[in-house]
Amino acid sequence: MIRLKDVSAGYKKNPVLTHLTLEIEEGRFAGIVGPTGTGKTTLLKTILGSHKVHGGEVMVMGKPVRSLTPGSIGYVPQLETVDWTFPVTVEQVIMMGLFAQRTYWPWPSRKEKIQVHALAEKLGVDQCLHHHIRDISGGQQQRVFLARALISNPRLLVLDEPTSGVDIKTQHDVLHLLQSLNKEGITILITTHDLNAVASHLPWVICFNKTVIAQGKPDDVFTEEILGKTYGGDLAIIRHDGHLLIAHNAKNKHNH
Amino acid sequence: MEFFLEPFGFEFFRNGVWAALMVGTLCGLIGVFIVLRGMSYIGHGLSHAAFGGAVLGYVINLNFYVGAGIAGFLAAVLINQLAKGNKIKSDAAIGIVTTAFFALGVALISRVRQFTKSFDAALFGNILGVTTVDLIIIGVVLILTVLAVFFLYKPLLFSTFDNEAAKVFGIRTELIQLVFSLLLAMSIIASMNVVGVTMIAATLVIPASTARLLTDSFSRMLIISAGVGAFMGVAGMFSSYQFDAASGATIVLCGAFIFCVVLLFTYVREKIDTHQHMHRHGGVAHSHPHHHDGEHEHTHSGHTHKEPDTHSHEHPHGTEYHSHEKEKGPAK
């Protein structure tokens, strides 16, 4: 589904990614984890085709990413980057996912409206379609932006920090929703800082620190050695009753 | 009535009113994108750049609009290019590029003193300065802008809301930005003689900000902003005639007055809609601003009465919004 070969990206004088090679199979539900400032977002933007690469090849669905038709990849940005005061309703935000289709008429067609309503119903936000985006709960806001990403029926869904800034129940709900979308055949790639959420919900994890440190099932990848290489060695792993729990090792000094 | 109709007997006033009506509508429309993109300062800067271009154009025997147009568009593109890198922010880019163009105009004027009078209208706006050619140019720019906003509504809306995401979703954001820069430069140049470069920023920002106070809908904001712009243009032009003051100043003062009235209106409306009193959710008594939209019982000094309310409203606790079901017992 995604194939990066010898990719270099970032600022020319100070590249964030250098000669990166990464392959993600179709149907995966994968989480990219790693410390802040190590290139997770640059990697995501490179996969989305919105970041210029200095070298190498970025192939998505067998084609160079920049030659894909609009709507082939669904994208959910970090909710912290959204301007919540902007005058738009939930319905208008979801509709934006169809804006790249070359229609110059400003009003949505009947077909588009039906499409939006059906998806909103599926994601449980049909009751708030005419609400301003600021006037709905954090969980609903996440679903609205997910709906915008899904409206064009993409085969690949990319989410930047979908679990940040929401409470634990919303986080749980969002990850479960993503699981069910993945079961429908959508390949999903997320970045997150929440290692425990990844350990408990995601079947595949990519440890990233300027390059791929390791990738695989959380049980195999979340070892002290790999997390040490990824984060710098201050994480402890607790295995209890078949569950993984990752915590800061209080005995070590924090390394921010 | 005579007081209002009398100035319409003069052709220059009729021209001025038409110009102000169109300029107000134009600035109202463009201003929505300026305000929502957080670029309020750019109108101020570009008008100054256009002024520099107009003076330079005069020196090399170019038409006023051609000189101003080239400078305005060039400044918009330069600002865009400078701000693209990660070292210079857009406000600094605006400050550098537009002030440099304006300084060029000022330097040329101060070198040849007889220019000064000719550029008064461009600086402060002048009801007497509106010619038929001005009217045609303003009309053409207005039509082009309305058409662009209509047919590029979707990409303009998406790129204004979230440019980064719009790009990922396949919107040609760079092309949209270029078209927008062109429209903005044309609008500023067309408005210069009526409003004056020193007042254009307010003409762009006031109608859109007023409209934002009144609506949470983007399309309605466009319509209200254009309406407010048109109204403040006409009212300002009328005041300019009555008080014998520069039209740019009177248009902006009328706009500022409308903004204050709407601000007061929305403040009072919010106070009426949202009120705060002690009440209970479960066992916790607390108070916070909330809306009343049904009926509930209150106990005051031993007697109980009904007031409009359900205690089913959304309000934040921490970061999360949630709603409560109606309280059975009386609210305190």
Side-chain angles (χ1 to χ4, degrees):
Chain A
M1 171 61 72
I2 301 167
R3 191 162 61 85
L4 277 74
K5 196 177 166 192
D6 202 26
V7 168
S8 297
Y11 309 111
K12 270 193 177 171
K13 283 182 186 167
N14 187 19
V16 182
L17 309 177
T18 42
H19 306 292
L20 176 72
T21 294
L22 170 69
E23 206 157 319
I24 297 169
E25 285 174 26
E26 183 160 10
R28 283 255 186 263
F29 178 14
I32 304 172
V33 298
T36 307
T38 52
K40 292 196 303 292
T41 302
T42 306
L43 173 61
L44 222 58
K45 286 181 179 174
T46 303
I47 292 168
L48 290 166
S50 67
H51 210 301
K52 218 174 175 180
V53 294
H54 308 313
E57 191 181 58
V58 183
M59 303 288 281
V60 176
M61 293 174 234
K63 289 180 183 173
V65 66
R66 287 185 172 237
S67 69
L68 289 173
T69 49
S72 301
I73 308 175
Y75 169 59
V76 181
Q78 275 188 51
L79 289 193
E80 276 101 339
T81 65
V82 174
D83 176 4
W84 297 106
T85 63
F86 196 93
V88 276
T89 61
V90 165
E91 187 181 36
Q92 284 169 328
V93 170
I94 301 174
M95 201 72 80
M96 283 178 193
L98 298 168
F99 278 6
Q101 294 171 3
R102 303 275 180 256
T103 52
Y104 295 100
W105 204 243
W107 297 286
S109 66
R110 194 178 154 75
K111 190 183 152 199
E112 287 173 334
K113 280 205 157 196
I114 292 169
Q115 215 178 327
V116 167
H117 278 252
L119 185 58
E121 200 176 346
K122 183 181 169 187
L123 297 183
V125 287
D126 54 319
Q127 296 301 312
C128 54
L129 277 175
H130 301 293
H131 290 200
H132 185 272
I133 49 163
R134 180 192 55 225
D135 298 335
I136 55 176
S137 72
Q140 287 171 323
Q141 286 171 341
Q142 189 64 264
R143 284 162 187 263
V144 168
F145 283 87
L146 196 56
R148 184 179 75 176
L150 291 170
I151 192 82
S152 57
N153 296 315
R155 283 168 55 205
L156 171 64
L157 188 60
V158 175
L159 300 95
D160 196 3
E161 305 276 0
T163 54
S164 84
V166 289
D167 63 66
I168 200 151
K169 184 179 180 303
T170 306
Q171 192 181 88
H172 182 82
D173 289 347
V174 167
L175 290 171
H176 272 271
L177 180 60
L178 292 176
Q179 273 175 347
S180 61
L181 290 169
N182 178 243
K183 279 180 189 153
E184 288 174 21
I186 302 171
T187 305
I188 299 175
L189 185 63
I190 71 169
T191 59
T192 180
H193 283 290
D194 194 333
L195 297 176
N196 290 310
V198 172
S200 57
H201 290 89
L202 269 67
W204 199 259
V205 59
I206 299 164
C207 287
F208 195 83
N209 189 335
K210 296 201 171 180
T211 188
V212 177
I213 306 289
Q215 66 167 315
K217 292 176 185 168
D219 269 342
D220 301 333
V221 169
F222 283 163
T223 63
E224 283 186 4
E225 188 198 347
I226 292 172
L227 290 180
K229 276 186 189 170
T230 311
Y231 286 93
D234 60 350
L235 294 171
I237 297 158
I238 301 152
R239 289 176 197 272
H240 175 70
D241 207 12
H243 295 285
L244 264 177
L245 191 69
I246 296 118
H248 274 282
N249 195 341
K251 286 176 185 171
N252 290 346
K253 277 185 181 176
H254 286 279
N255 181 20
H256 291 296
Chain B
M1 201 64 184
E2 184 73 8
F3 178 76
F4 289 103
L5 292 177
E6 184 242 321
F8 286 96
F10 303 104
E11 194 191 350
F12 78 89
F13 185 79
R14 288 197 298 273
N15 280 354
V17 167
W18 274 114
L21 183 77
M22 290 192 288
V23 161
T25 312
L26 181 61
C27 290
L29 273 179
I30 290 285
V32 169
F33 299 98
I34 299 275
V35 166
L36 293 177
R37 284 169 187 240
M39 306 161 59
S40 299
Y41 187 49
I42 200 163
H44 188 72
L46 280 187
S47 59
H48 283 66
F51 177 79
V55 178
L56 182 65
Y58 185 82
V59 171
I60 57 172
N61 282 326
L62 267 178
N63 177 281
F64 171 88
Y65 287 109
V66 175
I70 292 170
F73 184 64
L74 201 63
V77 173
L78 278 173
I79 290 163
N80 206 22
Q81 291 301 318
L82 262 181
K84 252 187 185 177
N86 60 334
K87 286 192 176 170
I88 297 172
K89 288 187 177 178
S90 58
D91 57 340
I94 293 167
I96 296 164
V97 174
T98 61
T99 316
F101 274 96
F102 186 64
L104 178 69
V106 173
L108 286 170
I109 286 175
S110 59
R111 190 169 160 77
V112 189
R113 289 278 168 193
Q114 60 264 36
F115 283 2
T116 317
K117 254 194 161 168
S118 321
F119 288 97
D120 273 2
L123 277 171
F124 306 110
N126 190 353
I127 192 171
L128 296 167
V130 180
T131 63
T132 312
V133 175
D134 289 333
L135 281 180
I136 292 167
I137 287 171
I138 296 167
V140 169
V141 174
L142 177 60
I143 291 167
L144 284 175
T145 304
V146 170
L147 289 175
V149 170
F150 187 86
F151 289 111
L152 297 177
Y153 177 84
K154 288 175 178 177
L156 274 169
L157 167 59
F158 201 169
S159 63
T160 305
F161 178 53
D162 185 349
N163 198 52
E164 184 83 31
K167 198 174 174 183
V168 174
F169 277 82
I171 302 289
R172 295 164 73 185
T173 50
E174 286 182 2
L175 180 69
I176 291 296
Q177 183 58 40
L178 190 72
V179 171
F180 179 71
S181 298
L182 191 62
L183 288 175
L184 177 62
M186 287 196 308
S187 304
I188 285 169
I189 292 148
S191 313
M192 260 170 75
N193 274 342
V194 180
V195 190
V197 296
T198 48
M199 303 289 167
I200 280 181
T203 324
L204 286 164
V205 171
I206 290 173
S209 304
T210 308
R212 185 65 193 93
L213 290 173
L214 291 169
T215 183
D216 265 345
S217 154
F218 181 75
S219 51
R220 272 201 291 273
M221 187 177 167
L222 279 170
I223 295 164
I224 295 171
S225 181
V228 170
F231 181 76
M232 83 184 223
V234 174
M237 199 52 98
F238 192 79
S239 311
S240 169
Y241 175 85
Q242 294 298 346
F243 300 110
D244 194 19
S247 53
T250 51
I251 287 171
V252 170
L253 284 173
C254 284
F257 177 73
I258 296 166
F259 178 79
C260 289
V261 170
V262 170
L263 187 67
L264 188 68
F265 166 74
T266 48
Y267 177 77
V268 171
R269 188 178 63 179
E270 211 164 279
K271 278 279 164 199
I272 292 168
D273 283 357
T274 308
H275 92 181
Q276 188 167 335
H277 63 148
M278 286 299 287
H279 60 278
R280 287 175 181 274
H281 295 302
V284 183
H286 64 283
S287 76
H288 57 82
H290 60 276
H291 294 276
H292 284 219
D293 54 3
E295 269 198 341
H296 76 281
E297 287 184 342
H298 272 286
T299 302
H300 292 300
S301 313
H303 72 278
T304 303
H305 67 98
K306 280 186 175 180
E307 267 192 14
D309 184 16
T310 66
H311 262 145
S312 175
H313 49 256
E314 288 197 320
H315 62 276
H317 286 298
T319 55
E320 185 69 7
Y321 275 78
H322 62 270
S323 72
H324 292 284
E325 291 307 311
K326 186 174 179 176
E327 272 286 320
K328 296 285 182 198
K332 281 187 180 178

